[in-house]
Amino acid sequence: MGTGCAWDAERYEGKHSYVWQFGAGLVDVLASREGERILDVGCGTGQLTAEIAARGAQVVGLDSSTNMLGQARQNYPGQKFVLADAANFRFPEPFDAVFSNAALHWVKNAEGAVESIALALRPAGRFVAEFGGKGNIASIMSALRAVFGAEAEQRCPWIYPSIGEYAPLLERHRLEVREARLFDRPTQVEEEDGMENWLRMFCGRYFEGLSVEGTQEKIRELVDILRPDRYRDGVWTLDYRRLRVAAVKV
Ligand SMILES: C[S@@+](CC[C@H](N)C(=O)[O-])C[C@H]1O[C@@H](n2cnc3c(N)ncnc32)[C@H](O)[C@@H]1O
């Protein structure tokens, strides 16, 4: 996904709005000021891009999915969005801040992403981001390993770094780390098919090459493994763990 496989913008907006709803707190951390130039990396369908713009900044949303950007443009026609890879982008004019919610764990080339972000910032510019951190969705990762065996690692589209891994990467690119926090965010989905929806939304890479029936079978196996631990009283709980970082370009 991201640069490889298609994102289903309709499923994202319909069933996974909690992703940007949780991101609202991160917009407060960004604390953008009137007229600032802000870049939103992995902007998806644009809800947080628009939220930052509503606070008076000039925002550019960047994403590598034509589906997600198409929906973003339809949602917010006056807003600027660009198609680019977070692992390798350049802008001619510097930004006052780079923001990113729930996207950077999809960018396996973290070094390329951090280099691009650092180069996009003016001196003293801010980088504020949140994404999956070490131990994120541990139960789902374990179920994926049980179902896909040795292929699980190969097919995994994510990186979930620890603070110890990510902070030095930022520092190597002259981003001074002011805050780094790894925290649990158990996320509840109140639908019987909530786990299936999640797997269909985010695990496309694992099902690539499988038939419709083959995919359904794998999803059934995964859901059966996860149900005893993760489904209670009609509610699925996703064991999200996020890494939040705030840094300044020096
Ligand atoms: C879970 S969505 C989050 C979207 C948005 N930030 C939000 O909070 O709703 C992750 C987004 O990251 C984007 N993405 C994944 N890999 C990317 C890459 N290499 N470059 C740019 N965007 C990427 C996806 O296309 C998707 O829109």
Side-chain angles (χ1 to χ4, degrees):
M1 282 198 187
T3 45
C5 117
W7 279 76
D8 182 341
E10 195 180 328
R11 188 186 288 277
Y12 184 67
E13 288 197 319
K15 301 276 183 194
H16 302 87
S17 56
Y18 54 82
V19 176
W20 70 77
Q21 283 159 8
F22 277 123
L26 196 65
V27 175
D28 292 333
V29 175
L30 174 67
S32 55
R33 291 178 287 272
E34 187 90 24
E36 277 192 321
R37 261 173 64 76
I38 312 281
L39 178 66
D40 180 6
V41 174
C43 63
T45 45
Q47 284 75 11
L48 294 177
T49 322
E51 172 62 30
I52 298 165
R55 298 182 186 202
Q58 295 170 37
V59 196
V60 177
L62 174 156
D63 206 284
S64 59
S65 159
T66 47
N67 288 353
M68 296 297 257
L69 274 192
Q71 187 60 44
R73 290 189 173 116
Q74 201 173 309
N75 290 344
Y76 308 102
Q79 175 59 51
K80 183 165 183 190
F81 293 104
V82 299
L83 183 68
D85 185 349
N88 181 17
F89 66 86
R90 299 290 183 267
F91 283 88
E93 295 291 318
F95 288 90
D96 296 299
V98 174
F99 173 89
S100 183
N101 182 58
L104 290 173
H105 55 278
W106 291 97
V107 188
K108 285 193 126 174
N109 179 2
E111 183 94 41
V114 171
E115 182 184 20
S116 301
I117 289 164
L119 289 173
L121 283 169
R122 68 163 167 79
R126 289 117 55 215
F127 172 46
V128 172
E130 191 177 294
F131 52 98
K134 184 129 191 131
N136 191 41
I137 55 160
S139 65
I140 300 175
M141 294 299 278
S142 156
L144 287 165
R145 278 193 297 274
V147 169
F148 288 92
E151 270 196 47
E153 202 178 321
Q154 240 170 277
R155 290 182 176 253
C156 177
W158 310 297
I159 50 153
Y160 295 136
S162 66
I163 292 175
E165 289 160 346
Y166 207 70
L169 174 58
L170 295 176
E171 287 172 355
R172 274 205 300 282
H173 292 278
R174 300 179 50 206
L175 293 168
E176 185 178 79
V177 181
R178 298 289 178 89
E179 185 190 327
R181 196 157 75 86
L182 183 69
F183 58 100
D184 288 319
R185 178 182 285 147
T187 297
Q188 299 199 321
V189 184
E190 291 182 21
E191 278 169 339
E192 216 275 318
D193 61 355
M195 183 56 76
E196 171 165 352
N197 271 325
W198 192 94
L199 294 167
R200 285 190 184 278
M201 178 76 230
F202 297 116
C203 292
R205 181 75 63 78
Y206 291 91
F207 308 126
E208 266 173 19
L210 297 180
S211 63
V212 172
E213 296 76 27
T215 299
Q216 191 58 55
E217 182 54 33
K218 294 287 188 202
I219 288 178
R220 198 173 308 125
E221 285 178 45
L222 290 163
V223 169
D224 285 349
I225 294 172
L226 289 160
R227 190 187 303 276
D229 231 32
R230 297 278 121 206
Y231 189 62
R232 291 258 147 76
D233 303 324
V235 179
W236 284 97
T237 304
L238 303 165
D239 48 350
Y240 275 1
R241 183 178 285 169
R242 310 320 263 178
L243 178 59
R244 181 179 282 197
V245 293
V248 172
K249 173 87 173 282
V250 292

mmCIF file of all heavy atoms in Angstrom, residues 113-141:
data_model
loop_
_atom_site.group_PDB
_atom_site.id
_atom_site.type_symbol
_atom_site.label_atom_id
_atom_site.label_comp_id
_atom_site.label_asym_id
_atom_site.label_seq_id
_atom_site.Cartn_x
_atom_site.Cartn_y
_atom_site.Cartn_z
ATOM 1 N N ALA A 113 12.184 9.324 4.246
ATOM 2 C CA ALA A 113 11.091 10.205 4.683
ATOM 3 C C ALA A 113 11.630 11.312 5.585
ATOM 4 O O ALA A 113 11.315 12.501 5.396
ATOM 5 C CB ALA A 113 10.024 9.391 5.414
ATOM 6 N N VAL A 114 12.472 10.934 6.541
ATOM 7 C CA VAL A 114 12.995 11.931 7.484
ATOM 8 C C VAL A 114 13.906 12.925 6.755
ATOM 9 O O VAL A 114 13.856 14.134 7.008
ATOM 10 C CB VAL A 114 13.693 11.248 8.688
ATOM 11 C CG1 VAL A 114 14.422 12.273 9.541
ATOM 12 C CG2 VAL A 114 12.670 10.486 9.524
ATOM 13 N N GLU A 115 14.693 12.419 5.823
ATOM 14 C CA GLU A 115 15.560 13.320 5.031
ATOM 15 C C GLU A 115 14.693 14.325 4.255
ATOM 16 O O GLU A 115 14.960 15.535 4.266
ATOM 17 C CB GLU A 115 16.431 12.522 4.060
ATOM 18 C CG GLU A 115 17.358 13.423 3.262
ATOM 19 C CD GLU A 115 18.176 12.668 2.218
ATOM 20 O OE1 GLU A 115 17.791 11.540 1.830
ATOM 21 O OE2 GLU A 115 19.197 13.230 1.785
ATOM 22 N N SER A 116 13.630 13.829 3.606
ATOM 23 C CA SER A 116 12.759 14.707 2.814
ATOM 24 C C SER A 116 12.079 15.747 3.714
ATOM 25 O O SER A 116 11.960 16.926 3.355
ATOM 26 C CB SER A 116 11.677 13.885 2.099
ATOM 27 O OG SER A 116 12.260 12.926 1.257
ATOM 28 N N ILE A 117 11.629 15.289 4.887
ATOM 29 C CA ILE A 117 10.945 16.188 5.829
ATOM 30 C C ILE A 117 11.912 17.272 6.312
ATOM 31 O O ILE A 117 11.585 18.466 6.321
ATOM 32 C CB ILE A 117 10.366 15.369 7.016
ATOM 33 C CG1 ILE A 117 9.172 14.542 6.535
ATOM 34 C CG2 ILE A 117 9.977 16.282 8.190
ATOM 35 C CD1 ILE A 117 8.750 13.411 7.463
ATOM 36 N N ALA A 118 13.129 16.844 6.688
ATOM 37 C CA ALA A 118 14.112 17.809 7.200
ATOM 38 C C ALA A 118 14.448 18.852 6.128
ATOM 39 O O ALA A 118 14.545 20.055 6.416
ATOM 40 C CB ALA A 118 15.373 17.074 7.660
ATOM 41 N N LEU A 119 14.602 18.392 4.878
ATOM 42 C CA LEU A 119 14.938 19.323 3.792
ATOM 43 C C LEU A 119 13.785 20.266 3.469
ATOM 44 O O LEU A 119 13.985 21.351 2.931
ATOM 45 C CB LEU A 119 15.338 18.541 2.528
ATOM 46 C CG LEU A 119 16.692 17.830 2.593
ATOM 47 C CD1 LEU A 119 16.898 16.947 1.368
ATOM 48 C CD2 LEU A 119 17.833 18.851 2.713
ATOM 49 N N ALA A 120 12.563 19.848 3.810
ATOM 50 C CA ALA A 120 11.388 20.681 3.504
ATOM 51 C C ALA A 120 11.190 21.797 4.535
ATOM 52 O O ALA A 120 10.395 22.710 4.314
ATOM 53 C CB ALA A 120 10.134 19.805 3.461
ATOM 54 N N LEU A 121 11.920 21.706 5.675
ATOM 55 C CA LEU A 121 11.693 22.671 6.765
ATOM 56 C C LEU A 121 12.666 23.845 6.723
ATOM 57 O O LEU A 121 13.852 23.672 6.424
ATOM 58 C CB LEU A 121 11.847 21.968 8.115
ATOM 59 C CG LEU A 121 10.675 21.092 8.543
ATOM 60 C CD1 LEU A 121 11.073 20.246 9.761
ATOM 61 C CD2 LEU A 121 9.445 21.952 8.872
ATOM 62 N N ARG A 122 12.168 25.004 7.077
ATOM 63 C CA ARG A 122 13.059 26.154 7.270
ATOM 64 C C ARG A 122 13.798 25.969 8.607
ATOM 65 O O ARG A 122 13.342 25.182 9.450
ATOM 66 C CB ARG A 122 12.248 27.454 7.297
ATOM 67 C CG ARG A 122 11.338 27.595 8.517
ATOM 68 C CD ARG A 122 10.902 29.030 8.713
ATOM 69 N NE ARG A 122 9.812 29.177 9.672
ATOM 70 C CZ ARG A 122 9.936 29.154 10.995
ATOM 71 N NH1 ARG A 122 11.114 28.941 11.579
ATOM 72 N NH2 ARG A 122 8.881 29.328 11.767
ATOM 73 N N PRO A 123 14.917 26.685 8.827
ATOM 74 C CA PRO A 123 15.563 26.620 10.141
ATOM 75 C C PRO A 123 14.534 26.983 11.224
ATOM 76 O O PRO A 123 13.731 27.900 11.036
ATOM 77 C CB PRO A 123 16.669 27.677 10.053
ATOM 78 C CG PRO A 123 16.945 27.807 8.580
ATOM 79 C CD PRO A 123 15.635 27.558 7.883
ATOM 80 N N ALA A 124 14.527 26.222 12.321
ATOM 81 C CA ALA A 124 13.578 26.384 13.438
ATOM 82 C C ALA A 124 12.161 25.922 13.086
ATOM 83 O O ALA A 124 11.233 26.084 13.876
ATOM 84 C CB ALA A 124 13.557 27.817 13.968
ATOM 85 N N GLY A 125 12.008 25.321 11.909
ATOM 86 C CA GLY A 125 10.708 24.751 11.544
ATOM 87 C C GLY A 125 10.401 23.522 12.400
ATOM 88 O O GLY A 125 11.318 22.866 12.910
ATOM 89 N N ARG A 126 9.091 23.218 12.561
ATOM 90 C CA ARG A 126 8.695 22.103 13.446
ATOM 91 C C ARG A 126 8.281 20.868 12.655
ATOM 92 O O ARG A 126 7.693 20.987 11.577
ATOM 93 C CB ARG A 126 7.474 22.506 14.299
ATOM 94 C CG ARG A 126 7.703 23.507 15.360
ATOM 95 C CD ARG A 126 6.953 24.801 15.178
ATOM 96 N NE ARG A 126 5.516 24.705 15.018
ATOM 97 C CZ ARG A 126 4.831 25.529 14.233
ATOM 98 N NH1 ARG A 126 5.446 26.447 13.508
ATOM 99 N NH2 ARG A 126 3.512 25.424 14.144
ATOM 100 N N PHE A 127 8.550 19.725 13.265
ATOM 101 C CA PHE A 127 8.056 18.447 12.742
ATOM 102 C C PHE A 127 7.218 17.810 13.852
ATOM 103 O O PHE A 127 7.713 17.584 14.957
ATOM 104 C CB PHE A 127 9.233 17.544 12.365
ATOM 105 C CG PHE A 127 8.840 16.136 11.991
ATOM 106 C CD1 PHE A 127 7.772 15.890 11.124
ATOM 107 C CD2 PHE A 127 9.550 15.041 12.489
ATOM 108 C CE1 PHE A 127 7.414 14.594 10.768
ATOM 109 C CE2 PHE A 127 9.203 13.739 12.132
ATOM 110 C CZ PHE A 127 8.134 13.523 11.271
ATOM 111 N N VAL A 128 5.939 17.572 13.565
ATOM 112 C CA VAL A 128 5.017 17.001 14.550
ATOM 113 C C VAL A 128 4.334 15.800 13.903
ATOM 114 O O VAL A 128 3.668 15.948 12.872
ATOM 115 C CB VAL A 128 3.956 18.041 14.978
ATOM 116 C CG1 VAL A 128 2.892 17.406 15.854
ATOM 117 C CG2 VAL A 128 4.619 19.206 15.705
ATOM 118 N N ALA A 129 4.527 14.628 14.476
ATOM 119 C CA ALA A 129 3.979 13.429 13.831
ATOM 120 C C ALA A 129 3.545 12.390 14.856
ATOM 121 O O ALA A 129 4.059 12.348 15.979
ATOM 122 C CB ALA A 129 5.035 12.810 12.913
ATOM 123 N N GLU A 130 2.584 11.583 14.435
ATOM 124 C CA GLU A 130 2.159 10.429 15.223
ATOM 125 C C GLU A 130 1.913 9.279 14.263
ATOM 126 O O GLU A 130 1.340 9.482 13.186
ATOM 127 C CB GLU A 130 0.881 10.780 15.992
ATOM 128 C CG GLU A 130 0.521 9.742 17.021
ATOM 129 C CD GLU A 130 -0.723 10.164 17.804
ATOM 130 O OE1 GLU A 130 -0.670 11.169 18.553
ATOM 131 O OE2 GLU A 130 -1.744 9.480 17.647
ATOM 132 N N PHE A 131 2.339 8.095 14.650
ATOM 133 C CA PHE A 131 2.156 6.912 13.798
ATOM 134 C C PHE A 131 2.365 5.668 14.650
ATOM 135 O O PHE A 131 2.646 5.766 15.844
ATOM 136 C CB PHE A 131 3.113 6.959 12.589
ATOM 137 C CG PHE A 131 4.562 7.180 12.922
ATOM 138 C CD1 PHE A 131 5.436 6.115 12.997
ATOM 139 C CD2 PHE A 131 5.053 8.458 13.171
ATOM 140 C CE1 PHE A 131 6.776 6.303 13.305
ATOM 141 C CE2 PHE A 131 6.396 8.662 13.482
ATOM 142 C CZ PHE A 131 7.248 7.579 13.551
ATOM 143 N N GLY A 132 2.214 4.477 14.025
ATOM 144 C CA GLY A 132 2.355 3.249 14.779
ATOM 145 C C GLY A 132 3.767 3.096 15.318
ATOM 146 O O GLY A 132 4.736 3.257 14.574
ATOM 147 N N GLY A 133 3.874 2.780 16.601
ATOM 148 C CA GLY A 133 5.193 2.623 17.228
ATOM 149 C C GLY A 133 5.415 1.192 17.678
ATOM 150 O O GLY A 133 4.518 0.331 17.550
ATOM 151 N N LYS A 134 6.596 0.946 18.219
ATOM 152 C CA LYS A 134 7.005 -0.422 18.610
ATOM 153 C C LYS A 134 5.901 -1.114 19.430
ATOM 154 O O LYS A 134 5.421 -0.569 20.406
ATOM 155 C CB LYS A 134 8.281 -0.334 19.446
ATOM 156 C CG LYS A 134 8.835 -1.679 19.821
ATOM 157 C CD LYS A 134 10.294 -1.762 19.457
ATOM 158 C CE LYS A 134 10.798 -3.168 19.584
ATOM 159 N NZ LYS A 134 11.526 -3.605 18.407
ATOM 160 N N GLY A 135 5.504 -2.290 18.989
ATOM 161 C CA GLY A 135 4.477 -3.046 19.698
ATOM 162 C C GLY A 135 3.067 -2.767 19.203
ATOM 163 O O GLY A 135 2.107 -3.363 19.699
ATOM 164 N N ASN A 136 2.935 -1.903 18.197
ATOM 165 C CA ASN A 136 1.606 -1.594 17.653
ATOM 166 C C ASN A 136 0.920 -2.872 17.165
ATOM 167 O O ASN A 136 1.582 -3.755 16.605
ATOM 168 C CB ASN A 136 1.758 -0.601 16.483
ATOM 169 C CG ASN A 136 0.431 -0.025 16.020
ATOM 170 O OD1 ASN A 136 -0.435 0.317 16.830
ATOM 171 N ND2 ASN A 136 0.246 0.076 14.726
ATOM 172 N N ILE A 137 -0.362 -2.960 17.353
ATOM 173 C CA ILE A 137 -1.203 -4.110 16.957
ATOM 174 C C ILE A 137 -0.487 -5.457 17.143
ATOM 175 O O ILE A 137 -0.520 -6.321 16.250
ATOM 176 C CB ILE A 137 -1.748 -3.961 15.500
ATOM 177 C CG1 ILE A 137 -0.615 -3.743 14.486
ATOM 178 C CG2 ILE A 137 -2.781 -2.855 15.411
ATOM 179 C CD1 ILE A 137 -1.019 -4.080 13.033
ATOM 180 N N ALA A 138 0.076 -5.650 18.344
ATOM 181 C CA ALA A 138 0.852 -6.876 18.584
ATOM 182 C C ALA A 138 -0.001 -8.118 18.362
ATOM 183 O O ALA A 138 0.474 -9.125 17.817
ATOM 184 C CB ALA A 138 1.416 -6.856 19.993
ATOM 185 N N SER A 139 -1.272 -8.061 18.745
ATOM 186 C CA SER A 139 -2.128 -9.255 18.605
ATOM 187 C C SER A 139 -2.367 -9.572 17.129
ATOM 188 O O SER A 139 -2.342 -10.735 16.717
ATOM 189 C CB SER A 139 -3.460 -9.042 19.319
ATOM 190 O OG SER A 139 -4.192 -8.005 18.680
ATOM 191 N N ILE A 140 -2.560 -8.538 16.315
ATOM 192 C CA ILE A 140 -2.817 -8.765 14.885
ATOM 193 C C ILE A 140 -1.546 -9.245 14.200
ATOM 194 O O ILE A 140 -1.570 -10.142 13.353
ATOM 195 C CB ILE A 140 -3.378 -7.484 14.221
ATOM 196 C CG1 ILE A 140 -4.689 -7.073 14.904
ATOM 197 C CG2 ILE A 140 -3.596 -7.699 12.721
ATOM 198 C CD1 ILE A 140 -5.278 -5.754 14.421
ATOM 199 N N MET A 141 -0.406 -8.677 14.583
ATOM 200 C CA MET A 141 0.871 -9.106 14.000
ATOM 201 C C MET A 141 1.105 -10.596 14.300
ATOM 202 O O MET A 141 1.569 -11.353 13.447
ATOM 203 C CB MET A 141 2.032 -8.273 14.559
ATOM 204 C CG MET A 141 1.992 -6.805 14.174
ATOM 205 S SD MET A 141 2.063 -6.520 12.407
ATOM 206 C CE MET A 141 3.808 -6.642 12.106
#
